[in-house]
Amino acid sequence: MISQLSGGGGITGGVFSNDFVELHNSGNWPIDLSSYVLQFAAVPAGAIWTAAPLPAMTLPPGGYFLIAGASGGSTLTDLPPADFTPDPEMPLNGNNGKLVLTRSATPLAVGCPALTDTVDVVGYGTGSCFEAMAVPRLTNATSALRNDSGCADTDNNGADFSVVTLTATTPPRNGMSPPHVCACAN
């Protein structure tokens, strides 16, 4: 699942040098990430998606995976070591957007795919694709953080995520972070 995201990397008022997306394996079994693709669209109602196929890596139960995105250019606090940096880097929007974790490497061509075709969907601000309700608008200094250490999953982005202020002392989690297996993992 998508467990945290921020699009204020390297931008005035931001905290970290790069945008980022954090994934979390909430299940009880390892997951081969090579069959997954992260897709992002910044235009709220648009259908122009950037696709980033994930590498051939195994994410252990409860493990985290940090994807470094683009930088706005300002020198800020470095992200923890990213587990993956797509080429080209994925530029998230600091305020509004939508992310889809899917199994299709073909960039999406619709404003919002059928939720049955996705693994996870997160919309924030005026992003037009989300589960039940979007996460509120973000700023360059905030992130959308999935509640319960990445385990909350009621299929309602507005309830499952909190908007939190980023600090250099509370960085996003990566593959070296302690795992957190969800209590009701499936």
Side-chain angles (χ1 to χ4, degrees), residues 39-44 46-50 91-93 96-100 110-111 124 127:
Q39 301 204 36
F40 170 78
V43 181
I48 300 171
W49 294 83
T50 301
L92 302 182
N93 183 292
N96 310 289
K98 49 194 175 182
L99 280 165
V100 173
V110 295
Y124 59 101

Side-chain angles (χ1 to χ4, degrees), residues 52-72:
L54 299 181
M57 294 179 72
T58 300
L59 187 58
Y64 295 95
F65 186 79
L66 183 60
I67 301 166
S71 174

Side-chain angles (χ1 to χ4, degrees), residues 7 26 37 118:
S26 61
V37 177
T118 65

Side-chain angles (χ1 to χ4, degrees), residues 113-132:
L115 295 181
T116 56
D117 297 335
T118 65
V119 176
D120 197 16
V121 176
V122 178
Y124 59 101
T126 58
S128 63
C129 191
F130 46 81
E131 294 176 336

Side-chain angles (χ1 to χ4, degrees), residues 163-179:
V163 175
V164 298
T165 300
L166 292 167
T167 69
T169 58
T170 56
R173 297 160 287 200
N174 63 13
M176 295 182 288
S177 301

Side-chain angles (χ1 to χ4, degrees), residues 3 10-11 19 63-65 68 73 78 85-86 96 102 107 119 127-128 136 141-142 147 154 159 176 179 181 185-186:
S3 55
I11 299 174
D19 300 343
Y64 295 95
F65 186 79
D78 288 336
T85 302
N96 310 289
T102 182
V119 176
S128 63
T142 61
N147 299 322
T154 64
M176 295 182 288
V181 177
N186 36 350

